[in-house]
Each structure stands twice: as C-alpha cells, then as structure tokens.
Amino acid sequence: MEVGAFFSSLKNCFKSITRIGTDDPRRVLHSLKVATALTLLSIIYWGRAVYGITRLVMSVMTVVGVFEFSVGGTLCKSVNRICATLIGGALGVAEQHLATALVEIEETVLLLILVFILGAITTFFRFFPKIKAIYDSGVVIFMTTFLLVAFSKHGVEKIFERLLTILIGIITCTLISIFIWPVWAGEDLHILLASNIETLANCLIGFEVNYFDNQIRDKSVLQGYETVLKSEATEESLTNLARWEPAHGFFRPRHPWNQYKKIGAFIKKCASKIESLHDYLNPEIPISSEFKFKIKKPCSRIITELYKALKVISSSTEIMVHPSAAKRHIEKAKAAAGELNFFLETVSLEEAKFLSIIPVGTVAFILEEITQLVEKIYQSIAELSELAEFKNVGEVTVSPEKPHVS
Amino acid sequence: MEVGAFFSSLKNCFKSITRIGTDDPRRVLHSLKVATALTLLSIIYWGRAVYGITRLVMSVMTVVGVFEFSVGGTLCKSVNRICATLIGGALGVAEQHLATALVEIEETVLLLILVFILGAITTFFRFFPKIKAIYDSGVVIFMTTFLLVAFSKHGVEKIFERLLTILIGIITCTLISIFIWPVWAGEDLHILLASNIETLANCLIGFEVNYFDNQIRDKSVLQGYETVLKSEATEESLTNLARWEPAHGFFRPRHPWNQYKKIGAFIKKCASKIESLHDYLNPEIPISSEFKFKIKKPCSRIITELYKALKVISSSTEIMVHPSAAKRHIEKAKAAAGELNFFLETVSLEEAKFLSIIPVGTVAFILEEITQLVEKIYQSIAELSELAEFKNVGEVTVSPEKPHVS
C-alpha cells in the first residue's frame, strides 16, 4: 500500500507539472530562456579562476533577480537593480570621502551607524505595498553594494566593476526577453480583458439555461464569474508592467493603459451581480413557478441580447476594432428591460405566495442592473477604442449562437 | 506654484510614512530589529579584509532575505535558505565527483549542461504559486551555492564556510525575532478573526440604522465588509506562517490552525451577504415605505440579536473563552426570523406596487440567510474552542449596546 501511495503522489506531482506547462506553454519557453541566459553568462566568465567566480555569482544573481516572465517585468526589475547599485555605490563613495577626515575608530563608528540607519530605513520602506512589489530584490543589491564599496579600500573601481557585471547580465536578459518569443504584459492584459468579457457572456447564458429551462448545471461554465472576480490582482500587476514596455505590434507608445483599470472595474461589478444571480439557482430557495413562467420571455430576451452584445464587445476588443456593432444589441436589451419593468409594475399578485415571489422578482431586478452595467462596459471599451485609435470596421462578424451548456 | 506643489507632495509623502508607522507601530520596531541584526553582523565580520567582506555580504543577504515581520515568516525563510544551500552544495560536490573521471573540456561541457538544466528547472518551478511565495529567494542561494562549489576547486570547504556564515546570520535573526518584541503570525491571525467578526456586527447595525431609521450614512462603519472581504489573502498567509511557530502564550503546540480557514470562509460568506444588503441602501431603488414599515420590527429584532451574538463571539474569541454566551442571542434571532417568515407568507399585497416591494422583500430574505451564517460562525468558533481547549467561563460580560453610527 505504501508503494501505491508513493506512486499516486508521484503521479499527482507529474499531473500538476503538466498542468502548469500546458496552461501556458510560454512558461516552458521562459524557463528555457532563463537557462540560456545563465549558460551564456557562464561561458563569458568561464575559467577566470576566483576573480571570474565572484563575477559569475553576481551575474547569476542578476539573471535570477531581473529575468521576469514579461518584457515589462524584466525592464522594470532591470532599472530598479541599476538604480539600487548606483545609489548604494554613491552612498559608499560618499562615506569614504567623509571618512578621510576621521581616525580609524571614528570611521568604524560612522560605518556602523550608517549600516544601522540604512538597514532600518530600507526595511521600513518594504512595508509600503507598492515598494514591496518592485523593490524587494533591490534592497539586497543596495545594501551589499554600499557595504562592498564602503568597507573596501578600492571603492570606486569596485562599483564600476560591479556595475559592469550587472549591466552585462541585464543586457543579456533584456535582449533574450525582447527578441526570443517575447511575452508582452500589455498584450496579456488586453487579451485578459477580452476573455473576461466573454466569460461574463457565457455565465449569463449559462444562468438562463439553468434557471428558466431547468437544465442540469455545468459548474465550469457557471462559475466563470469567480475567475473574473479573482483576476483583479493579475490585472493590476499587468497594468503596472505594461507601462514599462516599448511600443510593439498594435500597441503604440502612450497606449491608454489607465483605461483598462476603469473597464476592469465595470467588468468586476458585472461579475459580482452575476454571482448574486447564481445564488438564486439554489434549489432550497422557494420559487413560484407560475410567476417565473410569466417573466421568462422578457428575461430571456434581455439575456440573449446581452450575451450577443458581450460577445461582440469581446471579439472586437480582441482584434482591436471599435465595438459599435454591439450598440444595437444593448438597445434591444434595454427595451426588453423596460418591458419587464412595465410588466412588474402592473402584475397582479392575488394568487401567488409572496415568499416564493421575492426571489424571482429579485432575479428580474438584478438583470436590469446587469443591463446597465453592460452598457457601461460598452461605453468604456468605446472610449478605449477612441483613445487607442482602433480600426473602425462597421460590422464585425461574430457567431452569436448559444454555447452548449449541458 | 511649483515650489508649493513640491512641498505638498513632500507633505503627502510624510503623511503616508506616518500612516504606515502608526497603523502598526510594530513595523518601526521590526525595522529597528533588522537594523540591529545587520549592525551586529557587521561588527562580527569587522576588519577581516577581503575575506571578511565576502562573508559580510553573505550575512547581509541572509538577514535581508530571511528576517520577516513575523516569527513564523523568519523561521520558514530560514529553513528554506538552509535547505537551498545544502542542496545546491550537495549537487556541486556531486558534480565534482563526476568530473574527476573527465578531461577538462568534457567537464566544461558537463558543467554548462548542468547550469542549463538547473536554471530551466528552478525557473519553471517558480510558476507554482505555492513555491513562488516561499522559495523565491531560495532559488538564488541554490544556484549560487551550486556554482561556487562546482566551479571552484576547494568545493567542500567552501560549502561549509558558506553554510557557517548563513547559519550565524540565521541564528542572529531568529534570536532577535523571537526574543525582542516578537510578532507572532498566529496571534495576528487570531486577533484578525475576532476583529473581522466585530466588523460584521458593526456593519449589520449600521445597515439597520440607515435603512430603517433613514439616518445619514457613515461610509466608514458601513463599508467594513470590504475590509473583511479583502482580508482573505492575509488570513491565508498568516495561517501558513503560524504553522512554523513554536508554542507561545495561549497557543499550545498543534494549535488547530486549519479551523481558522473554515471560520474565515463563513465570515467571508456573511460579509458578502452584508454587501448585498448594503446595495439596497441605494436611494435610486424604488422602495415601498409602507411595506418597509411593516417588516421593520422583526428585521430590527433579528439585527439586534445578531449584533449581540457577533459581539459576544468576537470578544470571547479574543480572550479565548468558549462563546456559549452567544447561543441565546442566536436562538432569539432565529425565532425573530421565523416570525418574519410567517409574516411574509401571510402578508396581503393588494395595495402596494410589486416593483417597490421586491427590494424590501429581498432585504428580509438576505437577513434570514445572514442569521443562518452567523449560526455557522458560532458553531465553527465553538469547535475551535473545543479543539484548542479554551476556558469555559459560563458568561462573558460584554456591552451589547449599539455603537453611535451618525
């Protein structure tokens, strides 16, 4: 049995490795790129005895520290590392100049005081969330450069030597990152946005099929809103990294990355409304079937039109075309919502029990709110397409059929 | 004007520094603790020329790399760093043994191939979210140790020297971390849980005052649920770190940290229901005042009892006492919910408009769901208090008055 357990855990391990790799095959490529950079630098510093070893270790630290998955991440970390080296080195040189006027014991005390103060300040600044994310590895470089320069007698040569080693490492990483299978954070952000919008569309239609047609639920289609809600942190970090990237492909210089935050916020609100909708699929909630049947037609129309609108917005965002083709679907959805509203205002409720009517009415109510949110998503994407000068192809052909949720 | 802008941004900068410090003064203490460790190690390696410098740099890297805010974090990173050094060193020694049978050019090729393979594997493993969080700095140590040992001819001495330097750094950090103003992740987690429960209580009563008494909203009290919803990541990382900590104070060995996850999940569900409640404070939503007045009494009773129950649960969790005193408040809330349900089932709706009744009915509906969730929170905390052997003081004195939300 123990051998069986060992093999099954080994199998699980293999499975999760395969999953990480197949979820995004660029991860495998990235690993190979980092390995290439490390090997190249090993060749450069090859066979230079102890002297070479120190530099090689410095290079390896640079590669592991700055070579991030995306081009933006690599550039951001590179600049951060150069700055940390320069500031640490400058402070070390300044300390040496200060120390020339002092006797040895005084210099020792000065250095220890400086170590204490710099240590306290750099540690404290790591509590700022923004600094923590970017500058964490920079702190090590800053402190070690300062100490190397301040403690050794050949300070200035040391810092140039160090800077050169770091620069060679950084240039190797940057060139490989940009020219061999580049991963652009900006592109990832753009695609994430489009796919989140598509997920909303699928969740909506999945809800309709389950709620009004009583089909069996397919959790994977339904719970897409969870993925959307969880993507907030990813979106934020991609936005920050995208700013570091040079123009590439469709993305010109000064691409309006800020707009993505605004769009993302509307998408998130819409996803959380869809989450509330899905709460009402709970079979324990009493539901008046009669009343549900009455509102089925307008609700289905709203959902179908919103589905089409979201699909068009998603696909036109993906190919960078103005989403104008979604406009008429949104108008139709709004018209259907108006009808639903009118129906709810005039409905007679003499027969049904109130307790079983509330949940159905709430569903109708949430659908109206979702209609407004989809319009806001449309407007914010339209703004983006004007700011980023998307193409203006009148109509985009997309297939607005329902997906098979069974 | 430019000078004015400069001064105002300087002022903002000072403000955010003060805020980071006053939000949690232990951050300042932590910075001083790290600075102390750095200064101590600088004194140890003082004046040992070039030889000392390399060790000093290694020590500084160790301190910056392992000295985390909490004791658990420091211990976790320390173990990770020792393992990385040992494995890297062992691989380096293994490579040297392999290489004795090879001529120089063959050894070179072998080394480069190993660098490539290890670089690719370590980079790939950083894509596993769990590994990324803990082992990121370990990768640098692993690679550099391997290279140092493999490239230099005196491999084995080198690794012991390195290990010794790292050990001295780690012992310094651990001792300072545990014995000078220790910050325990476990304690933080426990207090966070208790304060989240209290926040839920305040949000609930804040809702009642705003919804039924039409008082002006105080956003800070109302939106506490957002803080609770956002604390999920903090809770998870604290739970992981708490497992690394030795027994301390009320926390015995094998404290049931897993139970905190379960409690946290119920708290989160409850917070998201309270969020839905607060959506109905939106003045744009049409509301039937007449109907609202009818359900005011039972709803207020539910909320008041739940408020008392949550307050008792929170305060007894904080002082590690069984929350049995909350039981009767929950029973009263459930009784009130039953009455509300009966009222909703029998209410006559001939006069009011349906559209303005739905939102009010939904509020009642959500309150019933919240009652169930508070009971689940109570049960899971009761389980915790049995697992962790809390004291069993029959009744805890707490003041269940309403806070001033105005």
Side-chain angles (χ1 to χ4, degrees):
Chain A
M1 276 307 280
E2 288 236 326
V3 177
F6 173 75
F7 275 108
S8 87
S9 73
L10 205 69
K11 209 174 148 190
N12 280 336
C13 185
F14 268 112
K15 251 189 205 163
S16 58
I17 290 176
T18 327
R19 197 175 45 74
I20 290 277
T22 46
D23 272 3
D24 191 345
R26 297 178 304 172
R27 287 171 178 163
V28 180
L29 294 181
H30 173 70
S31 306
L32 296 178
K33 280 156 72 180
V34 174
T36 310
L38 286 173
T39 315
L40 271 179
L41 289 166
S42 299
I43 294 172
I44 291 178
Y45 294 107
W46 191 259
R48 299 195 190 171
V50 183
Y51 191 63
I53 277 269
T54 324
R55 289 195 167 189
L56 179 55
V57 169
M58 194 67 228
S59 298
V60 170
M61 280 178 59
T62 311
V63 172
V64 178
V66 308
F67 208 145
E68 291 284 311
F69 189 52
S70 67
V71 176
T74 309
L75 291 176
C76 166
K77 285 266 175 106
S78 298
V79 170
N80 155 32
R81 198 155 269 242
I82 293 173
C83 289
T85 313
L86 285 178
I87 299 174
L91 275 176
V93 172
E95 190 278 339
Q96 283 203 331
H97 276 278
L98 258 178
T100 45
L102 302 173
V103 295
E104 209 183 316
I105 184 74
E106 287 172 339
E107 196 194 336
T108 310
V109 174
L110 173 72
L111 250 178
L112 290 179
I113 291 174
L114 277 177
V115 167
F116 188 89
I117 293 175
L118 291 179
I121 292 177
T122 48
T123 310
F124 186 73
F125 273 91
R126 285 166 87 184
F127 285 111
F128 290 81
K130 276 183 190 170
I131 294 182
K132 168 105 188 139
I134 308 178
Y135 298 96
D136 233 19
S137 68
V139 172
V140 185
I141 298 300
F142 166 77
M143 284 302 286
T144 52
T145 310
F146 167 73
L147 286 174
L148 270 184
V149 177
F151 272 59
S152 69
K153 288 297 153 202
H154 2 261
V156 186
E157 301 105 76
K158 207 110 206 174
I159 176 176
F160 279 118
E161 191 189 301
R162 203 173 160 84
L163 202 57
L164 186 72
T165 316
I166 291 177
L167 274 179
I168 293 175
I170 284 176
I171 290 169
T172 315
C173 292
T174 316
L175 290 180
I176 294 180
S177 174
I178 295 182
F179 293 106
I180 305 180
W181 306 305
V183 173
W184 301 99
E187 219 171 283
D188 277 12
L189 175 63
H190 194 87
I191 293 170
L192 178 64
L193 213 73
S195 93
N196 274 351
I197 296 174
E198 200 187 345
T199 308
L200 292 186
N202 292 336
C203 281
L204 262 183
I205 209 85
F207 170 77
E208 193 216 339
V209 173
N210 281 288
Y211 192 73
F212 291 107
D213 301 344
N214 288 319
Q215 289 188 19
I216 302 147
R217 289 180 240 173
D218 176 358
K219 286 269 177 190
S220 68
V221 176
L222 287 176
Q223 297 189 336
Y225 57 81
E226 283 183 2
T227 331
V228 177
L229 287 173
K230 276 182 189 160
S231 67
E232 191 168 1
T234 317
E235 265 177 48
E236 208 182 303
S237 82
L238 285 178
T239 313
N240 289 335
L241 296 179
R243 290 182 217 285
W244 287 89
E245 290 175 352
H248 59 277
F250 287 111
F251 300 91
R252 311 178 190 197
R254 301 202 184 184
H255 190 77
W257 297 117
N258 272 330
Q259 185 69 15
Y260 287 76
K261 240 178 206 167
K262 202 174 148 187
I263 303 169
F266 286 130
I267 294 179
K268 229 97 319 150
K269 265 190 200 163
C270 192
S272 108
K273 287 287 165 201
I274 294 181
E275 187 179 25
S276 312
L277 267 191
H278 279 76
D279 281 352
Y280 290 95
L281 288 176
N282 183 352
E284 282 171 25
I285 295 176
I287 276 180
S288 151
S289 324
E290 182 206 0
F291 186 57
K292 191 167 99 171
F293 183 75
K294 278 185 185 166
I295 64 161
K296 182 183 170 182
K297 221 178 118 190
C299 285
S300 290
R301 268 192 57 206
I302 296 178
I303 291 178
T304 314
E305 292 302 329
L306 290 183
Y307 171 77
K308 287 179 190 169
L310 286 170
K311 277 276 182 183
V312 173
I313 296 173
S314 163
S315 58
S316 52
T317 305
E318 209 176 327
I319 55 173
M320 296 199 142
V321 166
H322 193 287
S324 49
K327 184 93 186 150
R328 62 192 173 93
H329 296 300
I330 289 174
E331 292 306 330
K332 280 186 192 170
K334 277 164 78 180
E339 281 169 34
L340 177 63
N341 223 9
F342 182 74
F343 170 78
L344 291 179
E345 267 177 352
T346 54
V347 69
S348 77
L349 293 166
E350 282 137 33
E351 291 149 44
K353 272 191 180 172
F354 184 59
L355 201 63
S356 58
I357 285 182
I358 302 175
V360 184
T362 310
V363 165
F365 196 75
I366 297 174
L367 279 177
E368 290 174 15
E369 289 179 314
I370 290 178
T371 311
Q372 291 169 14
L373 281 169
V374 171
E375 193 177 14
K376 280 184 182 156
I377 292 175
Y378 168 77
Q379 286 162 350
S380 57
I381 293 266
E383 267 174 48
L384 171 71
S385 69
E386 276 146 33
L387 288 168
E389 299 173 32
F390 282 4
K391 280 166 286 173
N392 241 325
V393 189
E395 293 272 318
V396 192
T397 49
V398 285
S399 54
E401 285 95 37
K402 290 183 188 182
H404 294 283
V405 243
S406 58
Chain B
M1 274 308 278
E2 287 235 327
V3 177
F6 173 75
F7 274 109
S8 86
S9 74
L10 205 70
K11 209 174 148 190
N12 279 335
C13 185
F14 268 112
K15 251 188 205 162
S16 58
I17 289 177
T18 327
R19 198 174 45 73
I20 290 278
T22 45
D23 271 5
D24 191 347
R26 297 178 304 172
R27 288 170 176 162
V28 179
L29 294 181
H30 173 70
S31 306
L32 296 178
K33 279 156 71 181
V34 174
T36 309
L38 286 172
T39 315
L40 271 179
L41 289 166
S42 299
I43 293 173
I44 292 178
Y45 293 108
W46 191 259
R48 299 195 192 172
V50 184
Y51 189 65
I53 278 269
T54 325
R55 289 196 165 188
L56 179 55
V57 169
M58 194 67 228
S59 298
V60 171
M61 280 178 58
T62 310
V63 173
V64 178
V66 308
F67 209 145
E68 291 284 311
F69 189 52
S70 65
V71 176
T74 309
L75 291 175
C76 166
K77 285 265 173 108
S78 298
V79 170
N80 154 32
R81 198 154 268 243
I82 293 173
C83 289
T85 313
L86 285 177
I87 299 173
L91 274 176
V93 172
E95 190 278 338
Q96 283 204 333
H97 276 277
L98 257 179
T100 45
L102 302 173
V103 294
E104 208 182 320
I105 184 74
E106 286 171 339
E107 194 193 337
T108 310
V109 174
L110 173 71
L111 249 179
L112 290 178
I113 291 174
L114 277 177
V115 167
F116 188 88
I117 293 175
L118 291 179
I121 290 177
T122 48
T123 310
F124 185 74
F125 273 92
R126 284 166 87 185
F127 286 110
F128 289 82
K130 276 185 191 168
I131 294 182
K132 168 106 187 136
I134 308 178
Y135 299 95
D136 232 18
S137 69
V139 172
V140 184
I141 299 301
F142 167 77
M143 284 302 286
T144 52
T145 310
F146 166 74
L147 286 172
L148 271 183
V149 177
F151 273 57
S152 69
K153 288 298 153 203
H154 2 260
V156 186
E157 299 105 77
K158 208 115 205 170
I159 177 179
F160 279 118
E161 191 188 302
R162 203 173 160 84
L163 202 57
L164 186 71
T165 316
I166 291 177
L167 274 179
I168 292 175
I170 284 176
I171 290 169
T172 314
C173 292
T174 315
L175 290 180
I176 294 180
S177 175
I178 295 182
F179 293 107
I180 304 180
W181 304 305
V183 174
W184 302 98
E187 219 171 283
D188 276 11
L189 175 64
H190 194 86
I191 292 170
L192 179 63
L193 212 73
S195 93
N196 275 350
I197 295 174
E198 200 187 346
T199 308
L200 293 186
N202 292 335
C203 281
L204 261 182
I205 209 85
F207 171 78
E208 194 216 338
V209 173
N210 280 286
Y211 192 74
F212 290 107
D213 302 343
N214 287 319
Q215 291 186 18
I216 302 148
R217 289 180 240 172
D218 176 359
K219 286 268 177 191
S220 67
V221 176
L222 287 176
Q223 296 189 336
Y225 57 83
E226 284 184 1
T227 330
V228 177
L229 287 172
K230 276 183 187 161
S231 67
E232 191 168 1
T234 316
E235 265 176 48
E236 208 182 305
S237 83
L238 285 178
T239 313
N240 289 335
L241 296 179
R243 291 183 216 285
W244 287 89
E245 290 174 352
H248 58 277
F250 287 111
F251 300 91
R252 311 177 191 199
R254 302 202 183 184
H255 190 76
W257 298 116
N258 272 331
Q259 184 70 14
Y260 287 76
K261 241 180 206 165
K262 202 173 148 190
I263 302 169
F266 287 130
I267 294 180
K268 229 99 315 155
K269 266 192 199 160
C270 191
S272 108
K273 287 288 165 203
I274 294 182
E275 187 179 24
S276 313
L277 267 192
H278 280 76
D279 282 350
Y280 290 95
L281 288 177
N282 183 352
E284 283 171 25
I285 295 176
I287 277 180
S288 152
S289 322
E290 184 206 357
F291 186 58
K292 192 167 99 172
F293 183 74
K294 278 185 185 165
I295 65 160
K296 182 183 170 180
K297 220 177 121 192
C299 286
S300 289
R301 267 191 58 205
I302 296 178
I303 292 179
T304 313
E305 293 301 330
L306 290 184
Y307 171 78
K308 287 180 190 168
L310 287 170
K311 277 277 181 181
V312 172
I313 296 172
S314 162
S315 57
S316 52
T317 305
E318 210 177 325
I319 54 173
M320 297 200 140
V321 165
H322 193 287
S324 49
K327 185 91 186 152
R328 64 194 170 92
H329 296 300
I330 290 174
E331 291 306 331
K332 280 186 192 168
K334 277 165 76 179
E339 281 169 33
L340 177 63
N341 223 10
F342 181 75
F343 170 78
L344 291 178
E345 267 179 353
T346 54
V347 70
S348 76
L349 292 167
E350 280 137 36
E351 292 149 43
K353 272 191 180 174
F354 185 59
L355 201 63
S356 57
I357 284 181
I358 302 176
V360 184
T362 311
V363 165
F365 196 75
I366 297 174
L367 278 177
E368 289 174 15
E369 289 179 312
I370 290 178
T371 310
Q372 291 170 13
L373 281 169
V374 171
E375 193 177 13
K376 280 183 183 158
I377 292 176
Y378 167 76
Q379 286 161 350
S380 58
I381 293 267
E383 267 174 47
L384 171 71
S385 68
E386 277 147 31
L387 289 168
E389 298 172 31
F390 282 5
K391 279 164 285 173
N392 241 325
V393 189
E395 293 273 317
V396 191
T397 49
V398 285
S399 55
E401 285 93 36
K402 292 183 188 181
H404 294 283
V405 242
S406 57

